[in-house]
Amino acid sequence: MRWLRPMTSPPSVDTPLAQARARFRARDDTCADLYRQVLANDPAHAEALDILARFATRDGNHDEALSLRERLARARPDTPASHAALGQARLRVGDLVGGMTAYRRALTLDPAHAVVISRLGFLARRRQQPAEAVRWFTRWHRLAPGDAEAPKALATDLLALNRTDMAANTLRSGLRHHPNDHELWVNLGLVLRRAKRLPEAADALRQAVRLKDTDTAAWHQLAVTLRDTGQKEQARRTFERVLSLAQDHADGRLALGALLKEQGEWNQAVATLDPLAPPPGLTQAGILLAMARLPMVYRSEAEMARCRAAYARDLARLATPPTAPVSPQAMARAADAVGTSQPYYLPYQNQDDRPLQETYGRAVHAAMAAAHPALSVAPDTPPPAPGEPVRVGLVSGFFRWHTIWKLFLRGWMTGLDPARVRLTAYATHPTVDDTTRAARQGFPRFVDHRPFEAMAQAIRDDGNHVLIWPEVGMDPMAARLACLRLAPVQCVSWGHPDTTGLPTIDWFLTSDLMEPATADDRYTERLYRLPNLGIAYPPLTVPTTATDFAAAGIPDDATLILCCQYLSKYLPQHDRLLARIAARVPKARLAFIDIRRPRLKTLLQERLTAAFAAEGLAVDDHVVFLPYMRPGVYAALNERANLYLDTIGWSGGNTTLEAVAHALPVVTLPGTFMRGRHSAAILTHIGVTETIADSEDAYVELAARLGTDPAWRAGISARIAAGRDRIHTDTAPLRALEDFVEGVARRGAAPAQSA
């Protein structure tokens, strides 16, 4: 209770009143007994009524407080403060109408009563009426421009109405009067983040932490903002500041762990996440810690084996049911964690992933099913009527310029027969580019990105007979949706060529030429082998951009060997093959693409330095890392190159197709798994099999011959040029896909192998 100056009183009770006032000033609770004596002598004594009402409120006796406030309002009917206090007392006992009536009476007596106006604003907010709250808070702010709380309150409800610019301006007006109000700066930073004005948000949050450098929440928001603006090193230092202030700041640990993992600092990521000690069951911390065990680039085969074993242990914990009952809130958090970090880097290890993926798939499916039970039961969608096209939904985050668009989505959009298949595209990523705009025009129905639950409901409500994900494992929302049962038949294709492990995915649409004969046991889904490459791939027209590659470290007389795969595909056990090729080809330059992660580039450079030194070579004389380049420059690189060296274990897909488009000879060694056989399938399809190796030694020999025998190389190029149209004119995969979706739509999905 605030101890305030007592009111004046009639002379007849001066003696007990004087004693009451003295004890009140001394903060002595026995003053209440004296005020009761005053009130006994004068039942309408305003000061006694007010003080005793305050004591009753403090002690939780709200009915008594209300009775005293009613008496005070009758005793002082023309005093605004009496009605303001009465309004507050009525609200405390749940009398909303009575409280507002008292407040309005106070305003009738004093239209500029800032306290009452502010309370009416907070009351409107409590009633979830932000527009009314804005009206009251605007009056408060105008009446009391020097009150720092008014702009804070007004900005909050402007934000609730999505009026972010007005909210920011309101906070700035408050800062003109209170430039050192730390909370105003924090709120401004949060509003500017909401408005996507991230550089301004960072400036506001920097000012906030200057004023109060112990505000952990402000430091965290600053770190997140710096991360989102691409200032990763500054973000890292700021997250570290968060943890220096609060070691148990879980969100800060999660964010720093994720950032360290992205930067290639896996050991530090694990050390950062370990203190969270995720319990058994699926949690965001547990998922992120498990995925941090899967580096993008390995130092050695031994490190890769250790990482896989650690990942398997973490995965087992994720899949272990919690020992205690799980609250609905915990279920929701577990479901929200699905897709935030995925086992994207697991298949780069070039091993059979089915056991691990099946464990992962069942864990994430269970979490999603618990949180979304209505979306986890197969919809009762009747099969298409005779003559009716099959309704097929395509769920992807890559209706934009991306490999997935090039390999799958554009060919399906232009090549499937609309009389047999009615396509709907569901964009699960918010990015919009020229490709997105073309997709909106090209598909019969295009559903733009929206929040997860709205997208899930839209897909289910559309009554698709079949859903196809071109990939599961890359786009977060697409992965979460794949855990649900949104159509009677659900399929995935090979955009991320590994089994999903999900019991909700019935079929894996694969390439007959890429898939080894014994592949079925490596998938939890049933395999459907589409003919040839399994895709429709119209020609890509990408004009070349004139580029001075000599300035980038490739001399004009160099034999340029493209090693342009994602750096994760280069496994340490194959480094020596690259060095052996460089030793056999005079003036060889092996060109890699720098993916703008310095730590990963450094790791690979260190490995290559050792491998080349073992062959008596200086790595800098033979290896160049080119910057990430635009499509026209990359097309020019293919034109300049002499041969394309495929990766072993996970070969090139779209990169190989683009090399073939430039008649660039490709050397490949098919692997054990489908993902290691893309290039071999492409070369087989166009009838150029001479550069498909059957051993590591043959791989080196073929590359060396192409690098040193211009005539043979020219002959291979001519044969690629003559055969490559088979890729673009092949409609067999489209017709087979139409047959497939018609068949499964009418008979339903057979159970997946893992079911």
Side-chain angles (χ1 to χ4, degrees), residues 151-205:
K152 295 173 191 175
L154 176 55
T156 298
D157 286 278
L158 286 168
L159 202 59
L161 296 171
N162 290 318
R163 293 156 70 177
T164 51
D165 287 345
M166 290 185 66
N169 291 338
T170 298
L171 292 166
R172 291 191 191 281
S173 73
L175 285 165
R176 284 194 289 272
H177 294 277
H178 301 277
N180 294 321
D181 189 301
H182 147 268
E183 192 176 342
L184 278 172
W185 284 109
V186 171
N187 291 358
L188 178 59
L190 297 177
V191 168
L192 292 168
R193 269 193 61 80
R194 174 85 168 266
K196 309 296 184 187
R197 293 157 61 181
L198 298 184
E200 295 174 71
D203 289 342
L205 291 164

Side-chain angles (χ1 to χ4, degrees), residues 540-553:
L540 276 173
T541 303
V542 180
T544 59
T545 301
T547 306
D548 181 8
F549 289 110

Side-chain angles (χ1 to χ4, degrees), residues 226-258:
L226 292 169
R227 178 198 65 193
D228 293 348
T229 56
Q231 300 177 70
K232 300 298 175 67
E233 281 302 319
Q234 290 186 46
R236 175 177 173 171
R237 291 193 295 271
T238 309
F239 280 126
E240 288 168 348
R241 171 65 174 160
V242 172
L243 296 185
S244 74
L245 292 169
Q247 285 287 317
D248 59 348
H249 196 288
D251 287 344
R253 282 201 175 277
L254 285 170
L256 179 58

